[in-house]
Amino acid sequence: MALAVCVFCASSSKIDKIHVELAERVGAELARRGHSLVSGGAQVSCMGAVARAARAGGATTVGVIPEGLVDVEISDGDNHELVVTPDMRSRKGEMDRRSDAFLVLPGGIGTLEELFEIWTARTLGMHDKPLVILDPTGVYEPLRALMTGLVDQGLARAKVFDAVGWTASVDEAFDLLERSQPRIEATPEDYAEAEL
């Protein structure tokens, strides 16, 4: 089944080329498997690389970019559709609405913000869209250790790890995205404590 896969990734121009090459591999594999891409709408860095590779493989790409970043991030006019939103919050909402699954590549604080919002909503049972972190170079290992520590200290529930797939392999990342993932049922305590 074809999915609209939202890829969260870096748009920094000072990024190591290994991350850009990963984005290219992801875009090519996405196209090979017959999926479409939803991304942040910029033509720079990993964001541009994943979209170009997806289009080169025949995939449809949709870019979603806030008005204030059109010039800063150099919007990718080659997308099949470029959606310009008023701000970052509406950008994330539009990306969420248009996507069937989420794939997170190495990135900075913007990528982390996107990851945590989707991860939180999935943990609370607000959606059942697959979420996968693809981390072949260990960028997110400190995050995994942090989350494990939060669970160990009772500040987060163990179900946070049920809400996300974690892999170092592009093939496995797409296998996880394509696999039906059960909805996580939130308990009243999840909401009352406001801790995940």
Side-chain angles (χ1 to χ4, degrees):
M1 178 177 79
L3 300 172
V5 178
C6 182
V7 177
F8 296 134
C9 58
S11 62
S12 170
S13 60
K14 297 183 178 180
I15 196 165
D16 190 303
K17 69 177 184 178
I18 193 169
H19 301 304
V20 176
E21 291 166 356
L22 174 64
E24 290 169 345
R25 290 200 320 271
V26 164
E29 183 64 13
L30 177 145
R32 190 186 74 74
R33 292 187 183 223
H35 303 311
S36 61
L37 173 70
V38 177
S39 72
Q43 65 174 326
V44 295
S45 191
C46 295
M47 216 179 278
V50 71
R52 284 189 297 276
R55 284 192 297 270
T60 298
T61 64
V62 176
V64 184
I65 191 166
E67 202 168 27
L69 294 181
V70 168
D71 295 327
V72 176
E73 290 190 340
I74 313 171
S75 60
D76 184 353
D78 290 332
N79 277 297
H80 294 91
E81 184 179 0
L82 183 65
V83 180
V84 179
T85 63
D87 52 39
M88 292 290 280
R89 287 179 186 234
S90 52
R91 175 199 217 181
K92 287 185 295 180
E94 187 67 14
M95 292 171 83
D96 183 4
R97 186 181 72 76
R98 289 172 172 262
S99 302
D100 302 312
F102 301 91
L103 179 58
V104 183
L105 308 185
I109 61 172
T111 303
L112 286 172
E113 179 195 20
E114 292 161 336
L115 164 61
F116 276 118
E117 185 162 327
I118 295 299
W119 195 354
T120 299
R122 179 143 166 69
T123 301
L124 291 174
M126 294 178 173
H127 73 82
D128 59 358
K129 298 175 182 181
L131 168 62
V132 174
I133 295 172
L134 174 56
D135 187 24
T137 59
V139 168
Y140 290 121
E141 282 307 311
L143 173 60
R144 193 199 300 245
L146 171 65
M147 295 307 296
T148 299
L150 293 176
V151 170
D152 290 346
Q153 295 181 53
L155 296 169
R157 296 178 184 269
K159 70 172 69 173
V160 297
F161 289 110
D162 296 337
V164 63
W166 217 297
T167 182
S169 158
V170 172
D171 284 341
E172 185 180 19
F174 280 97
D175 290 345
L176 290 169
L177 290 173
E178 292 167 353
R179 189 176 305 145
S180 177
Q181 296 182 3
R183 179 177 291 276
I184 294 175
E185 297 300 328
T187 65
E189 291 81 22
D190 290 326
Y191 295 101
E193 294 177 10
E195 298 287 355
L196 303 174

Coordinates of all heavy atoms in Angstrom, one line a residue, residues 27-28 30-32 34-37 51-61 80:
G27 N 15.2 9.1 0.1 CA 14.3 9.5 -1.0 C 14.2 8.5 -2.1 O 13.1 8.2 -2.6
A28 N 15.4 7.9 -2.4 CA 15.4 6.9 -3.5 C 14.6 5.6 -3.1 O 13.8 5.1 -3.9 CB 16.8 6.5 -3.8
L30 N 12.2 5.5 -0.8 CA 10.7 5.9 -0.8 C 10.1 5.8 -2.1 O 9.0 5.2 -2.3 CB 10.7 7.3 -0.2 CG 9.3 8.0 -0.1 CD1 9.2 8.9 1.1 CD2 9.0 8.8 -1.4
A31 N 10.8 6.3 -3.2 CA 10.3 6.2 -4.5 C 10.2 4.8 -5.0 O 9.2 4.3 -5.6 CB 11.1 7.0 -5.4
R32 N 11.3 4.0 -4.7 CA 11.3 2.6 -5.2 C 10.1 1.8 -4.6 O 9.6 0.9 -5.3 CB 12.6 1.9 -4.7 CG 12.9 0.6 -5.4 CD 14.1 -0.1 -4.8 NE 13.9 -0.6 -3.4 CZ 13.2 -1.7 -3.1 NH1 12.6 -2.4 -4.1 NH2 13.0 -2.1 -1.9
G34 N 7.2 3.0 -4.0 CA 6.0 3.5 -4.5 C 5.2 4.5 -3.6 O 4.0 4.7 -3.7
H35 N 6.0 5.1 -2.6 CA 5.4 6.0 -1.7 C 5.5 7.5 -2.2 O 6.3 7.7 -3.1 CB 6.0 5.9 -0.3 CG 6.0 4.5 0.3 ND1 4.8 3.8 0.4 CD2 6.9 3.8 0.9 CE1 5.0 2.7 0.9 NE2 6.3 2.6 1.2
S36 N 4.8 8.4 -1.6 CA 5.0 9.8 -1.8 C 5.6 10.5 -0.6 O 5.7 9.9 0.5 CB 3.7 10.5 -2.2 OG 2.8 10.4 -1.1
L37 N 6.2 11.7 -0.8 CA 6.9 12.4 0.2 C 6.2 13.6 0.7 O 5.7 14.4 -0.2 CB 8.3 12.7 -0.3 CG 9.2 13.6 0.6 CD1 9.6 12.8 1.9 CD2 10.4 14.2 -0.1
A51 N 14.0 15.2 -1.1 CA 12.9 15.5 -2.1 C 13.5 15.3 -3.6 O 12.8 14.7 -4.4 CB 12.5 16.9 -2.0
R52 N 14.7 15.7 -3.8 CA 15.3 15.5 -5.2 C 15.4 14.0 -5.5 O 15.1 13.6 -6.6 CB 16.6 16.2 -5.3 CG 16.5 17.7 -5.4 CD 17.8 18.4 -5.8 NE 18.8 18.2 -4.7 CZ 18.9 18.9 -3.6 NH1 18.1 20.0 -3.4 NH2 19.9 18.7 -2.7
A53 N 15.9 13.3 -4.5 CA 16.0 11.8 -4.8 C 14.7 11.1 -5.0 O 14.6 10.2 -5.8 CB 16.8 11.2 -3.6
A54 N 13.7 11.6 -4.2 CA 12.4 11.0 -4.4 C 11.8 11.3 -5.7 O 11.3 10.4 -6.4 CB 11.4 11.5 -3.3
R55 N 11.9 12.5 -6.2 CA 11.4 12.9 -7.5 C 12.2 12.2 -8.6 O 11.6 11.7 -9.6 CB 11.5 14.4 -7.7 CG 10.4 15.2 -7.0 CD 10.4 16.6 -7.4 NE 11.6 17.4 -7.1 CZ 11.8 18.1 -6.0 NH1 10.9 18.1 -5.0 NH2 12.9 18.7 -5.8
A56 N 13.5 12.0 -8.4 CA 14.3 11.4 -9.4 C 13.8 9.9 -9.6 O 14.0 9.3 -10.7 CB 15.8 11.4 -9.1
G57 N 13.3 9.3 -8.5 CA 12.8 8.0 -8.6 C 11.3 7.9 -9.0 O 10.8 6.8 -9.1
G58 N 10.7 9.0 -9.3 CA 9.3 9.0 -9.8 C 8.3 9.3 -8.7 O 7.1 9.2 -9.0
A59 N 8.7 9.6 -7.5 CA 7.7 9.9 -6.4 C 7.2 11.3 -6.5 O 7.8 12.2 -6.9 CB 8.4 9.6 -5.0
T60 N 6.0 11.4 -6.0 CA 5.3 12.7 -5.9 C 5.8 13.3 -4.6 O 5.9 12.7 -3.5 CB 3.8 12.6 -5.8 OG1 3.4 12.0 -7.0 CG2 3.1 13.9 -5.6
T61 N 6.2 14.6 -4.6 CA 6.6 15.3 -3.4 C 5.8 16.5 -3.1 O 5.4 17.3 -4.0 CB 8.1 15.7 -3.5 OG1 8.2 16.7 -4.5 CG2 9.0 14.6 -3.8
H80 N 5.9 18.9 -6.4 CA 4.7 18.8 -7.1 C 3.7 19.7 -6.5 O 2.8 20.2 -7.3 CB 4.2 17.3 -7.2 CG 5.1 16.4 -7.9 ND1 6.1 15.7 -7.3 CD2 5.1 16.1 -9.2 CE1 6.8 15.0 -8.3 NE2 6.2 15.2 -9.4

